Coordinates of all heavy atoms in Angstrom, one line a residue:
I12 N 74.9 150.2 161.9 CA 74.6 149.1 161.1 C 73.8 149.7 159.9 O 72.7 150.1 160.0 CB 73.7 148.0 161.8 CG1 74.4 147.4 163.0 CG2 73.2 147.0 160.8 CD1 73.6 146.4 163.7
F13 N 74.6 149.7 158.8 CA 74.0 150.3 157.5 C 73.0 149.3 156.9 O 73.2 148.1 157.0 CB 75.1 150.6 156.5 CG 76.0 151.7 156.9 CD1 77.3 151.5 157.3 CD2 75.5 153.0 156.9 CE1 78.1 152.5 157.6 CE2 76.3 154.1 157.2 CZ 77.6 153.8 157.6
F14 N 71.9 149.8 156.3 CA 70.9 148.9 155.7 C 70.3 149.4 154.4 O 69.5 148.7 153.8 CB 69.8 148.6 156.7 CG 68.9 149.8 157.0 CD1 67.8 150.1 156.2 CD2 69.2 150.6 158.1 CE1 67.1 151.3 156.5 CE2 68.5 151.8 158.4 CZ 67.4 152.1 157.6
G15 N 70.6 150.6 154.0 CA 70.1 151.2 152.8 C 70.8 152.5 152.4 O 71.6 153.0 153.1
D16 N 70.4 153.0 151.2 CA 71.0 154.2 150.8 C 70.1 155.0 149.9 O 68.9 154.6 149.7 CB 72.3 153.9 150.0 CG 72.0 153.1 148.7 OD1 71.6 153.8 147.7 OD2 72.3 151.9 148.6
N17 N 70.5 156.2 149.5 CA 69.7 157.1 148.7 C 70.1 157.0 147.2 O 69.5 157.8 146.4 CB 69.8 158.5 149.2 CG 71.1 159.2 148.9 OD1 72.1 158.5 148.5 ND2 71.1 160.5 149.0
G18 N 71.0 156.2 146.8 CA 71.5 156.1 145.4 C 72.5 157.1 145.1 O 73.1 157.1 144.0
G19 N 72.8 158.0 146.0 CA 73.8 159.1 145.7 C 75.0 159.1 146.6 O 75.8 160.0 146.6
G20 N 75.1 158.1 147.5 CA 76.2 158.0 148.4 C 75.9 158.1 149.9 O 76.6 157.6 150.7
D21 N 74.8 158.7 150.2 CA 74.3 158.8 151.6 C 73.7 157.5 152.0 O 73.0 156.8 151.2 CB 73.3 159.9 151.8 CG 73.9 161.3 151.5 OD1 75.2 161.4 151.5 OD2 73.1 162.2 151.3
Q22 N 74.0 157.0 153.2 CA 73.5 155.7 153.6 C 72.8 155.8 155.0 O 73.1 156.7 155.8 CB 74.7 154.8 153.8 CG 75.4 154.6 152.4 CD 76.4 153.5 152.4 OE1 76.4 152.6 153.2 NE2 77.3 153.6 151.5
F23 N 71.9 154.9 155.2 CA 71.0 154.9 156.3 C 71.4 153.8 157.3 O 71.8 152.7 156.8 CB 69.6 154.8 155.9 CG 69.2 156.0 155.1 CD1 69.2 155.8 153.7 CD2 68.9 157.2 155.6 CE1 68.8 156.9 152.9 CE2 68.5 158.3 154.8 CZ 68.5 158.1 153.4
A24 N 71.3 154.0 158.6 CA 71.8 153.1 159.5 C 71.1 153.1 160.9 O 70.5 154.2 161.2 CB 73.3 153.3 159.8
F25 N 71.1 152.0 161.5 CA 70.7 151.9 162.9 C 71.9 152.2 163.8 O 73.0 152.0 163.3 CB 70.2 150.5 163.3 CG 68.8 150.2 162.7 CD1 68.7 149.5 161.5 CD2 67.7 150.5 163.4 CE1 67.5 149.1 161.0 CE2 66.4 150.1 162.9 CZ 66.4 149.4 161.7
I26 N 71.7 152.6 165.0 CA 72.8 152.7 165.9 C 73.0 151.4 166.6 O 72.0 150.8 167.1 CB 72.5 153.8 167.0 CG1 72.4 155.2 166.3 CG2 73.7 153.8 168.0 CD1 73.6 155.7 165.6
R27 N 74.1 150.8 166.5 CA 74.4 149.5 167.1 C 74.8 149.6 168.5 O 74.5 148.7 169.3 CB 75.6 148.9 166.2 CG 76.0 147.6 166.6 CD 77.1 147.1 165.7 NE 78.2 146.5 166.4 CZ 79.3 146.0 165.9 NH1 79.5 146.2 164.6 NH2 80.1 145.4 166.6
T28 N 75.6 150.6 168.9 CA 76.1 150.8 170.2 C 75.8 152.2 170.8 O 76.4 153.1 170.2 CB 77.6 150.5 170.3 OG1 77.9 149.3 169.6 CG2 78.1 150.5 171.7
P29 N 74.9 152.3 171.7 CA 74.0 151.4 172.2 C 72.8 151.1 171.2 O 72.5 152.0 170.5 CB 73.4 152.0 173.5 CG 73.5 153.5 173.2 CD 74.7 153.7 172.3
P30 N 72.2 149.9 171.3 CA 71.2 149.6 170.3 C 70.0 150.6 170.4 O 69.6 150.9 171.5 CB 70.7 148.2 170.7 CG 71.8 147.7 171.6 CD 72.5 148.9 172.2
R31 N 69.6 151.1 169.3 CA 68.5 152.1 169.2 C 67.6 151.8 168.0 O 68.1 151.3 167.0 CB 69.0 153.5 169.1 CG 69.7 154.0 170.3 CD 70.4 155.3 170.1 NE 69.4 156.4 169.8 CZ 69.7 157.7 169.7 NH1 71.0 158.0 169.8 NH2 68.8 158.5 169.4
S32 N 66.4 152.1 168.0 CA 65.5 151.9 166.9 C 65.5 153.1 165.9 O 65.0 153.0 164.8 CB 64.1 151.6 167.3 OG 63.6 152.7 168.1
D33 N 66.1 154.2 166.4 CA 66.2 155.4 165.5 C 67.1 155.1 164.3 O 68.0 154.3 164.3 CB 66.9 156.5 166.3 CG 66.2 156.9 167.5 OD1 65.2 157.7 167.4 OD2 66.6 156.5 168.6
I34 N 66.8 155.9 163.2 CA 67.5 155.7 161.9 C 68.3 157.0 161.7 O 67.8 158.1 161.9 CB 66.6 155.5 160.7 CG1 65.6 154.4 161.0 CG2 67.4 155.4 159.4 CD1 66.3 153.0 161.1
F35 N 69.6 156.9 161.4 CA 70.5 158.0 161.1 C 70.9 157.9 159.6 O 71.0 156.8 159.1 CB 71.7 158.0 162.0 CG 71.4 158.4 163.4 CD1 70.7 157.5 164.3 CD2 71.8 159.6 163.9 CE1 70.4 157.9 165.6 CE2 71.5 160.0 165.2 CZ 70.8 159.1 166.0
V36 N 71.3 159.1 159.1 CA 71.9 159.1 157.7 C 73.3 159.5 157.9 O 73.7 160.3 158.7 CB 71.1 160.1 156.8 CG1 71.2 161.5 157.3 CG2 71.7 160.0 155.4
W37 N 74.2 158.7 157.2 CA 75.6 159.1 157.1 C 75.8 159.8 155.7 O 75.5 159.2 154.7 CB 76.5 157.9 157.2 CG 77.9 158.2 156.8 CD1 78.8 159.1 157.5 CD2 78.7 157.7 155.7 NE1 80.0 159.1 156.8 CE2 79.9 158.3 155.7 CE3 78.4 156.9 154.6 CZ2 80.9 158.1 154.8 CZ3 79.3 156.6 153.7 CH2 80.6 157.2 153.8
Q38 N 76.2 161.1 155.8 CA 76.4 161.8 154.6 C 77.9 161.8 154.2 O 78.7 162.3 155.0 CB 75.8 163.2 154.7 CG 74.3 163.2 154.9 CD 73.7 164.5 155.0 OE1 73.9 165.2 156.0 NE2 72.9 164.9 154.0
H39 N 78.2 161.1 153.1 CA 79.6 160.9 152.8 C 80.4 162.1 152.4 O 81.6 162.1 152.6 CB 79.6 159.9 151.6 CG 79.1 160.4 150.3 ND1 77.8 160.6 150.1 CD2 79.8 160.8 149.2 CE1 77.6 161.1 148.8 NE2 78.8 161.3 148.3
E40 N 79.7 163.2 152.0 CA 80.5 164.4 151.6 C 81.2 165.0 152.8 O 82.3 165.5 152.7 CB 79.6 165.5 151.0 CG 78.9 165.0 149.7 CD 77.6 164.4 149.9 OE1 77.1 164.1 151.0 OE2 76.9 164.2 148.9
D41 N 80.5 165.0 154.0 CA 81.1 165.7 155.1 C 81.2 164.8 156.4 O 81.5 165.2 157.4 CB 80.3 166.9 155.5 CG 78.9 166.7 155.9 OD1 78.5 165.5 156.0 OD2 78.1 167.6 156.1
D42 N 80.9 163.5 156.2 CA 81.0 162.5 157.2 C 80.1 162.8 158.4 O 80.3 162.4 159.5 CB 82.5 162.3 157.7 CG 82.7 161.1 158.6 OD1 82.0 160.1 158.4 OD2 83.6 161.1 159.4
S43 N 79.0 163.5 158.2 CA 78.1 163.8 159.2 C 77.1 162.6 159.4 O 76.9 161.8 158.5 CB 77.2 165.0 159.0 OG 76.4 164.9 157.8
R44 N 76.6 162.4 160.6 CA 75.7 161.4 161.0 C 74.5 162.1 161.7 O 74.7 162.7 162.7 CB 76.3 160.4 161.9 CG 77.4 159.5 161.2 CD 78.8 159.8 161.8 NE 79.9 159.4 161.0 CZ 80.5 158.2 161.1 NH1 80.2 157.4 162.1 NH2 81.5 157.9 160.3
R45 N 73.3 162.1 161.1 CA 72.2 162.8 161.6 C 71.0 161.9 161.7 O 70.7 161.1 160.9 CB 71.8 164.0 160.7 CG 72.8 165.1 160.7 CD 72.4 166.3 159.8 NE 71.9 166.0 158.5 CZ 70.6 165.9 158.2 NH1 69.6 166.1 159.0 NH2 70.2 165.6 156.9
W46 N 70.2 162.2 162.8 CA 68.9 161.5 163.0 C 68.0 161.9 161.8 O 67.8 163.0 161.5 CB 68.3 161.9 164.3 CG 67.0 161.3 164.7 CD1 66.9 160.1 165.4 CD2 65.7 161.7 164.3 NE1 65.5 159.8 165.5 CE2 64.8 160.8 164.9 CE3 65.2 162.7 163.6 CZ2 63.4 160.9 164.7 CZ3 63.8 162.9 163.4 CH2 63.0 161.9 164.0
V47 N 67.2 160.8 161.3 CA 66.2 161.1 160.3 C 64.9 160.5 160.5 O 63.9 160.9 159.9 CB 66.7 160.7 158.9 CG1 67.9 161.6 158.4 CG2 67.1 159.2 158.8
A48 N 64.8 159.5 161.4 CA 63.5 158.8 161.6 C 63.6 158.1 163.0 O 64.6 157.6 163.4 CB 63.2 157.8 160.5
R49 N 62.4 157.9 163.6 CA 62.3 157.3 164.9 C 62.4 155.8 164.9 O 62.8 155.2 165.9 CB 61.1 157.8 165.6 CG 59.8 157.2 165.1 CD 58.5 157.8 165.9 NE 57.3 157.4 165.2 CZ 56.7 158.0 164.2 NH1 57.3 159.1 163.8 NH2 55.7 157.6 163.7
D50 N 62.1 155.2 163.7 CA 62.2 153.7 163.6 C 62.2 153.4 162.1 O 62.0 154.3 161.3 CB 61.2 153.0 164.4 CG 59.7 153.4 164.1 OD1 59.5 153.8 163.0 OD2 58.9 153.2 165.0
L51 N 62.2 152.1 161.8 CA 62.2 151.6 160.4 C 60.9 152.0 159.7 O 61.0 152.4 158.5 CB 62.5 150.1 160.4 CG 62.7 149.5 159.0 CD1 63.9 150.2 158.3 CD2 63.0 148.0 159.1
Q52 N 59.8 151.9 160.4 CA 58.5 152.2 159.7 C 58.5 153.7 159.4 O 58.1 154.1 158.3 CB 57.4 151.8 160.6 CG 56.0 152.1 159.9 CD 54.9 151.5 160.7 OE1 55.0 150.7 161.5 NE2 53.7 151.9 160.3
D53 N 58.9 154.5 160.3 CA 59.0 156.0 160.1 C 59.9 156.3 158.9 O 59.6 157.1 158.0 CB 59.4 156.7 161.4 CG 59.3 158.2 161.3 OD1 58.5 158.7 160.6 OD2 60.2 158.8 161.9

């Protein structure tokens, strides 16, 4: 579930399945999805 971006194409998302509070970044250049924060506040 995408909710924000960095202005350059990378987007930030929650994991929908299974639901998690962690935030991941999707990097459009290489289609990678990496953990970046433990929750929205972080």
Side-chain angles (χ1 to χ4, degrees):
I12 296 179
F13 292 108
F14 67 87
D16 65 77
N17 73 343
D21 295 341
Q22 298 190 24
F23 299 97
F25 287 95
I26 299 297
R27 177 177 141 186
T28 309
R31 295 174 59 176
S32 61
D33 300 277
I34 306 296
F35 286 73
V36 62
W37 170 64
Q38 294 181 292
H39 68 287
E40 296 93 351
D41 61 6
D42 195 26
S43 64
R44 294 115 196 261
R45 290 185 311 101
W46 181 94
V47 294
R49 68 181 174 275
D50 56 25
L51 188 57
Q52 184 170 346
D53 186 34

